[in-house]
Amino acid sequence: MLCAFVFVKNADDVWKYILILALGSFLSQVYLWTFVPRLVKFRKVPFSSVVGHLPQLFILFIPTVAISLYNYMDKIMVGAISGDVQLGLYENSEKIISVVFSIIAAFGTVMMPRMSNMVANGDTEGQKRSIESSMQVVLFIAFALAFGLVGVSGVFPQVFWDEEFSDCSILMALLSIIIPIKAYAQVLRTQYLIPNKMDKAYTISVCLGAVVNIIINALLIGRLGALGAVVGTVFAELTVCIVQVVYCARDLPVFSYLKHNAFFLALGILMSLTVYIAGGFLGSGVLTLLIQIVIGVVIYCVGCLIYFKVTNNRLFLDTLDTVVHKVFKRR
């Protein structure tokens, strides 16, 4: 990000921007490999033991292609139908949502091996308890991020980009809807469907989402531009989530997860409205954005802390006690 601001000055610097993106990815991977010798022991694996896993890997490869299809088709269709300006608006709005969601995506990556181990050991009850706890944590974070972005959507584009990107405000606000939807579906996918070898359900859900996305894009992008692609993305993610819920509903209390975490939704809405109104009074600017962030964090964190105390939520209270204890112990 720093290199982009320092070296990219005009349209002739596209090659610099591409080089910055490429080197950023390359250096991050090189850095990770410095840990490998300490953590990984290399073993020669017979090719015959690898072949048996290929059919299952191919099945999981199909939804990966489908996800890439409807992620990149949005941009291709917006650029081809509505032009580069609309593409730029959509690309930047979607990138912010992707960066924010990566926080939640990391949670699923960490939990999947643990859940697979529980399934292998036949610990069904342990798996269900972990899913319930994970859903609490993920929705707690997801509603905070989603409604936080909605709250600052009127100010953020002008501060982070320029006045020319003011139309990103509505795009960011609408795209934020997919954060809790994707978060909910990700817990079901990474902690139940895939560990329990329900790859067919996962594949069907993602493929249906891709179809819905392409159909809505074809119908709306010509009329609404980037906004049409946003609508297509929201309905695609909603389709994926609904299909995965249907497959999980036989064994998991999927609707009680929403009921037990509805407080985060209500508090998120309150936070978002307060932050958005504050931005309207203070006007656009870096200071306004910082004030909005502080207001949002205080409202959400204080509200959640009161809720955890009243409901005696041991998951969050014990975690908070542990963090506080470690901080003071170090000091």
Side-chain angles (χ1 to χ4, degrees), residues 159-176:
V159 172
F160 196 74
W161 296 303
D162 200 292
E163 288 291 336
E164 295 178 355
F165 288 88
S166 58
D167 288 342
C168 285
S169 297
I170 184 64
L171 302 183
M172 277 182 56
L174 290 176
L175 275 174
S176 298

Side-chain angles (χ1 to χ4, degrees), residues 24-37:
S25 298
F26 175 73
L27 293 175
S28 69
Q29 297 301 317
V30 170
Y31 174 74
L32 290 176
W33 274 91
T34 61
F35 295 92
V36 170

Side-chain angles (χ1 to χ4, degrees), residues 92-110:
N92 284 287
S93 302
E94 191 268 341
K95 190 174 293 184
I96 293 299
I97 304 301
S98 297
V99 169
V100 170
F101 186 77
S102 64
I103 299 171
I104 299 172
F107 190 87
T109 303
V110 170

Side-chain angles (χ1 to χ4, degrees), residues 43-172:
R43 295 254 194 317
K44 184 178 180 180
V45 181
F47 183 72
S48 58
S49 66
V50 176
V51 173
H53 296 286
L54 294 179
Q56 199 70 19
L57 289 173
F58 180 75
I59 292 173
L60 288 175
F61 177 68
I62 296 173
T64 303
V65 173
I67 292 172
S68 298
L69 178 66
Y70 73 74
N71 280 341
Y72 289 106
M73 280 302 293
D74 286 348
K75 299 163 189 176
I76 294 172
M77 294 178 75
V78 170
I81 298 173
S82 298
D84 292 341
V85 173
Q86 290 294 310
L87 174 59
L89 296 175
Y90 180 79
E91 168 78 12
N92 284 287
S93 302
E94 191 268 341
K95 190 174 293 184
I96 293 299
I97 304 301
S98 297
V99 169
V100 170
F101 186 77
S102 64
I103 299 171
I104 299 172
F107 190 87
T109 303
V110 170
M111 288 299 297
M112 191 189 299
R114 176 181 175 84
M115 301 306 290
S116 299
N117 180 262
M118 286 184 177
V119 172
N121 293 323
D123 188 5
T124 304
E125 292 303 315
Q127 185 186 22
K128 290 181 178 180
R129 287 194 301 270
S130 292
I131 291 174
E132 184 177 4
S133 299
S134 297
M135 197 66 79
Q136 271 193 305
V137 174
V138 165
L139 291 180
F140 163 72
I141 298 172
F143 284 124
L145 296 175
F147 287 105
L149 281 175
V150 172
V152 302
S153 62
V155 176
F156 184 88
Q158 290 92 327
V159 172
F160 196 74
W161 296 303
D162 200 292
E163 288 291 336
E164 295 178 355
F165 288 88
S166 58
D167 288 342
C168 285
S169 297
I170 184 64
L171 302 183
M172 277 182 56

